Amino acid sequence: VQLQASGGGLVQAGVSLRLSCAASRRTISNYGMGWFRQAPGKEREFVAAITWSGTATSYADSVKGRFTISRDNSRNRVYLQMNSLKPEDTAVYYCVADRQFRRPVVGGSQLTDGFWGQGTLVTVSS
């Protein structure tokens, strides 16, 4: 599977942004998906995940209540709606696909060795 994230940009604190991840070469409808991010000089961290069916999601504490992950299996896409952005959200955001078929629970630890796409840069100014 190939994953291409898009939708990043330079925004001011407090605004919203929606990232999109388009999958190709394979359908993602039977696989959990997620987002990670890596800020300058910091380690990569888990942001959000969603099960193959879309019935369960998980979030990092730092984004809970502000970010929402969703998926459209008919379009082979996953989204990350980011509201109330903060300067500390500045990072390159990566889309990840799980390797396991229809895993019932998916989170950061399950996605670490998944399929990674190219990232999209989000810069939030204060």
mmCIF file of all heavy atoms in Angstrom, residues 7-33:
data_model
loop_
_atom_site.group_PDB
_atom_site.id
_atom_site.type_symbol
_atom_site.label_atom_id
_atom_site.label_comp_id
_atom_site.label_asym_id
_atom_site.label_seq_id
_atom_site.Cartn_x
_atom_site.Cartn_y
_atom_site.Cartn_z
ATOM 1 N N GLY A 7 -2.711 18.232 3.128
ATOM 2 C CA GLY A 7 -3.546 19.142 3.902
ATOM 3 C C GLY A 7 -2.795 19.977 4.918
ATOM 4 O O GLY A 7 -3.389 20.824 5.587
ATOM 5 N N GLY A 8 -1.505 19.738 5.046
ATOM 6 C CA GLY A 8 -0.729 20.529 5.992
ATOM 7 C C GLY A 8 -0.527 21.948 5.502
ATOM 8 O O GLY A 8 -0.851 22.294 4.365
ATOM 9 N N GLY A 9 0.014 22.772 6.373
ATOM 10 C CA GLY A 9 0.276 24.147 6.005
ATOM 11 C C GLY A 9 0.652 24.981 7.201
ATOM 12 O O GLY A 9 0.835 24.459 8.300
ATOM 13 N N LEU A 10 0.756 26.273 6.968
ATOM 14 C CA LEU A 10 1.077 27.228 8.021
ATOM 15 C C LEU A 10 -0.212 27.915 8.457
ATOM 16 O O LEU A 10 -0.894 28.543 7.643
ATOM 17 C CB LEU A 10 2.077 28.263 7.506
ATOM 18 C CG LEU A 10 2.390 29.443 8.435
ATOM 19 C CD1 LEU A 10 3.008 28.963 9.729
ATOM 20 C CD2 LEU A 10 3.305 30.431 7.717
ATOM 21 N N VAL A 11 -0.525 27.774 9.740
ATOM 22 C CA VAL A 11 -1.759 28.359 10.264
ATOM 23 C C VAL A 11 -1.470 29.043 11.593
ATOM 24 O O VAL A 11 -0.436 28.782 12.219
ATOM 25 C CB VAL A 11 -2.869 27.312 10.451
ATOM 26 C CG1 VAL A 11 -3.272 26.692 9.119
ATOM 27 C CG2 VAL A 11 -2.422 26.240 11.435
ATOM 28 N N GLN A 12 -2.411 29.868 12.016
ATOM 29 C CA GLN A 12 -2.282 30.516 13.312
ATOM 30 C C GLN A 12 -2.914 29.652 14.396
ATOM 31 O O GLN A 12 -3.801 28.837 14.127
ATOM 32 C CB GLN A 12 -2.954 31.880 13.283
ATOM 33 C CG GLN A 12 -2.200 32.914 12.455
ATOM 34 C CD GLN A 12 -2.770 34.308 12.626
ATOM 35 O OE1 GLN A 12 -3.968 34.474 12.812
ATOM 36 N NE2 GLN A 12 -1.901 35.307 12.579
ATOM 37 N N ALA A 13 -2.465 29.847 15.594
ATOM 38 C CA ALA A 13 -3.030 29.108 16.717
ATOM 39 C C ALA A 13 -4.521 29.374 16.837
ATOM 40 O O ALA A 13 -4.984 30.491 16.605
ATOM 41 C CB ALA A 13 -2.323 29.521 18.004
ATOM 42 N N GLY A 14 -5.242 28.315 17.169
ATOM 43 C CA GLY A 14 -6.671 28.437 17.368
ATOM 44 C C GLY A 14 -7.527 28.035 16.185
ATOM 45 O O GLY A 14 -8.729 27.785 16.353
ATOM 46 N N VAL A 15 -6.930 27.946 15.022
ATOM 47 C CA VAL A 15 -7.721 27.593 13.848
ATOM 48 C C VAL A 15 -7.770 26.080 13.660
ATOM 49 O O VAL A 15 -7.173 25.325 14.433
ATOM 50 C CB VAL A 15 -7.156 28.261 12.583
ATOM 51 C CG1 VAL A 15 -7.095 29.770 12.766
ATOM 52 C CG2 VAL A 15 -5.797 27.694 12.217
ATOM 53 N N SER A 16 -8.506 25.671 12.633
ATOM 54 C CA SER A 16 -8.658 24.250 12.337
ATOM 55 C C SER A 16 -7.983 23.900 11.025
ATOM 56 O O SER A 16 -7.795 24.747 10.154
ATOM 57 C CB SER A 16 -10.144 23.882 12.259
ATOM 58 O OG SER A 16 -10.798 24.133 13.475
ATOM 59 N N LEU A 17 -7.650 22.632 10.911
ATOM 60 C CA LEU A 17 -7.023 22.115 9.703
ATOM 61 C C LEU A 17 -7.444 20.657 9.567
ATOM 62 O O LEU A 17 -7.577 19.953 10.579
ATOM 63 C CB LEU A 17 -5.503 22.222 9.823
ATOM 64 C CG LEU A 17 -4.652 22.269 8.555
ATOM 65 C CD1 LEU A 17 -5.031 23.454 7.694
ATOM 66 C CD2 LEU A 17 -3.175 22.352 8.943
ATOM 67 N N ARG A 18 -7.650 20.199 8.349
ATOM 68 C CA ARG A 18 -7.978 18.790 8.136
ATOM 69 C C ARG A 18 -6.931 18.145 7.249
ATOM 70 O O ARG A 18 -6.694 18.594 6.118
ATOM 71 C CB ARG A 18 -9.353 18.609 7.500
ATOM 72 C CG ARG A 18 -9.791 17.153 7.478
ATOM 73 C CD ARG A 18 -11.184 16.941 6.954
ATOM 74 N NE ARG A 18 -11.226 16.896 5.500
ATOM 75 C CZ ARG A 18 -12.155 16.240 4.804
ATOM 76 N NH1 ARG A 18 -13.102 15.575 5.440
ATOM 77 N NH2 ARG A 18 -12.142 16.271 3.489
ATOM 78 N N LEU A 19 -6.327 17.098 7.765
ATOM 79 C CA LEU A 19 -5.374 16.312 6.999
ATOM 80 C C LEU A 19 -6.103 15.155 6.331
ATOM 81 O O LEU A 19 -7.057 14.603 6.874
ATOM 82 C CB LEU A 19 -4.270 15.774 7.893
ATOM 83 C CG LEU A 19 -3.475 16.796 8.701
ATOM 84 C CD1 LEU A 19 -2.364 16.097 9.476
ATOM 85 C CD2 LEU A 19 -2.927 17.898 7.826
ATOM 86 N N SER A 20 -5.610 14.796 5.176
ATOM 87 C CA SER A 20 -6.170 13.684 4.433
ATOM 88 C C SER A 20 -5.060 12.700 4.092
ATOM 89 O O SER A 20 -3.923 13.100 3.848
ATOM 90 C CB SER A 20 -6.822 14.198 3.149
ATOM 91 O OG SER A 20 -7.333 13.139 2.376
ATOM 92 N N CYS A 21 -5.394 11.435 4.093
ATOM 93 C CA CYS A 21 -4.446 10.391 3.710
ATOM 94 C C CYS A 21 -5.111 9.541 2.640
ATOM 95 O O CYS A 21 -6.133 8.896 2.895
ATOM 96 C CB CYS A 21 -4.078 9.549 4.916
ATOM 97 S SG CYS A 21 -3.059 8.112 4.514
ATOM 98 N N ALA A 22 -4.522 9.544 1.461
ATOM 99 C CA ALA A 22 -5.029 8.758 0.350
ATOM 100 C C ALA A 22 -4.201 7.498 0.186
ATOM 101 O O ALA A 22 -2.970 7.575 0.117
ATOM 102 C CB ALA A 22 -4.994 9.581 -0.925
ATOM 103 N N ALA A 23 -4.857 6.360 0.136
ATOM 104 C CA ALA A 23 -4.175 5.080 -0.030
ATOM 105 C C ALA A 23 -4.326 4.608 -1.472
ATOM 106 O O ALA A 23 -5.369 4.792 -2.104
ATOM 107 C CB ALA A 23 -4.758 4.046 0.919
ATOM 108 N N SER A 24 -3.282 3.974 -1.946
ATOM 109 C CA SER A 24 -3.324 3.409 -3.294
ATOM 110 C C SER A 24 -2.645 2.046 -3.286
ATOM 111 O O SER A 24 -1.957 1.685 -2.328
ATOM 112 C CB SER A 24 -2.635 4.345 -4.293
ATOM 113 O OG SER A 24 -1.296 4.567 -3.933
ATOM 114 N N ARG A 25 -2.825 1.286 -4.340
ATOM 115 C CA ARG A 25 -2.268 -0.053 -4.541
ATOM 116 C C ARG A 25 -2.928 -1.118 -3.690
ATOM 117 O O ARG A 25 -2.687 -2.309 -3.895
ATOM 118 C CB ARG A 25 -0.756 -0.083 -4.307
ATOM 119 C CG ARG A 25 0.017 0.752 -5.297
ATOM 120 C CD ARG A 25 1.488 0.439 -5.220
ATOM 121 N NE ARG A 25 2.245 1.159 -6.236
ATOM 122 C CZ ARG A 25 3.545 1.024 -6.414
ATOM 123 N NH1 ARG A 25 4.231 0.199 -5.652
ATOM 124 N NH2 ARG A 25 4.158 1.713 -7.349
ATOM 125 N N ARG A 26 -3.695 -0.730 -2.699
ATOM 126 C CA ARG A 26 -4.405 -1.715 -1.888
ATOM 127 C C ARG A 26 -5.540 -1.006 -1.165
ATOM 128 O O ARG A 26 -5.370 0.128 -0.717
ATOM 129 C CB ARG A 26 -3.472 -2.356 -0.863
ATOM 130 C CG ARG A 26 -4.089 -3.536 -0.098
ATOM 131 C CD ARG A 26 -3.225 -3.966 1.071
ATOM 132 N NE ARG A 26 -3.393 -3.086 2.220
ATOM 133 C CZ ARG A 26 -2.793 -3.283 3.393
ATOM 134 N NH1 ARG A 26 -1.994 -4.311 3.553
ATOM 135 N NH2 ARG A 26 -2.998 -2.447 4.399
ATOM 136 N N THR A 27 -6.663 -1.693 -1.005
ATOM 137 C CA THR A 27 -7.737 -1.128 -0.220
ATOM 138 C C THR A 27 -7.381 -1.156 1.258
ATOM 139 O O THR A 27 -6.751 -2.098 1.731
ATOM 140 C CB THR A 27 -9.054 -1.888 -0.445
ATOM 141 O OG1 THR A 27 -10.066 -1.314 0.395
ATOM 142 C CG2 THR A 27 -8.900 -3.360 -0.090
ATOM 143 N N ILE A 28 -7.749 -0.120 1.963
ATOM 144 C CA ILE A 28 -7.473 -0.058 3.400
ATOM 145 C C ILE A 28 -8.709 -0.378 4.218
ATOM 146 O O ILE A 28 -8.689 -0.262 5.440
ATOM 147 C CB ILE A 28 -6.939 1.329 3.803
ATOM 148 C CG1 ILE A 28 -7.970 2.422 3.476
ATOM 149 C CG2 ILE A 28 -5.600 1.602 3.149
ATOM 150 C CD1 ILE A 28 -7.620 3.780 4.054
ATOM 151 N N SER A 29 -9.784 -0.778 3.568
ATOM 152 C CA SER A 29 -11.052 -0.943 4.264
ATOM 153 C C SER A 29 -11.023 -2.030 5.335
ATOM 154 O O SER A 29 -11.858 -2.032 6.236
ATOM 155 C CB SER A 29 -12.167 -1.237 3.264
ATOM 156 O OG SER A 29 -11.887 -2.414 2.533
ATOM 157 N N ASN A 30 -10.072 -2.954 5.265
ATOM 158 C CA ASN A 30 -9.986 -4.027 6.249
ATOM 159 C C ASN A 30 -8.827 -3.852 7.223
ATOM 160 O O ASN A 30 -8.447 -4.808 7.913
ATOM 161 C CB ASN A 30 -9.832 -5.372 5.530
ATOM 162 C CG ASN A 30 -11.085 -5.760 4.785
ATOM 163 O OD1 ASN A 30 -12.172 -5.818 5.365
ATOM 164 N ND2 ASN A 30 -10.955 -6.015 3.491
ATOM 165 N N TYR A 31 -8.292 -2.633 7.274
ATOM 166 C CA TYR A 31 -7.113 -2.396 8.097
ATOM 167 C C TYR A 31 -7.270 -1.135 8.944
ATOM 168 O O TYR A 31 -7.817 -0.131 8.494
ATOM 169 C CB TYR A 31 -5.879 -2.254 7.210
ATOM 170 C CG TYR A 31 -5.585 -3.509 6.427
ATOM 171 C CD1 TYR A 31 -6.177 -3.730 5.184
ATOM 172 C CD2 TYR A 31 -4.753 -4.496 6.949
ATOM 173 C CE1 TYR A 31 -5.949 -4.892 4.482
ATOM 174 C CE2 TYR A 31 -4.520 -5.664 6.248
ATOM 175 C CZ TYR A 31 -5.113 -5.859 5.012
ATOM 176 O OH TYR A 31 -4.878 -7.022 4.323
ATOM 177 N N GLY A 32 -6.776 -1.237 10.171
ATOM 178 C CA GLY A 32 -6.739 -0.066 11.015
ATOM 179 C C GLY A 32 -5.795 0.975 10.442
ATOM 180 O O GLY A 32 -4.851 0.650 9.719
ATOM 181 N N MET A 33 -6.075 2.221 10.769
ATOM 182 C CA MET A 33 -5.269 3.323 10.266
ATOM 183 C C MET A 33 -4.956 4.279 11.408
ATOM 184 O O MET A 33 -5.655 4.316 12.421
ATOM 185 C CB MET A 33 -6.019 4.083 9.175
ATOM 186 C CG MET A 33 -6.371 3.255 7.949
ATOM 187 S SD MET A 33 -4.921 2.797 7.000
ATOM 188 C CE MET A 33 -4.348 4.401 6.450
#
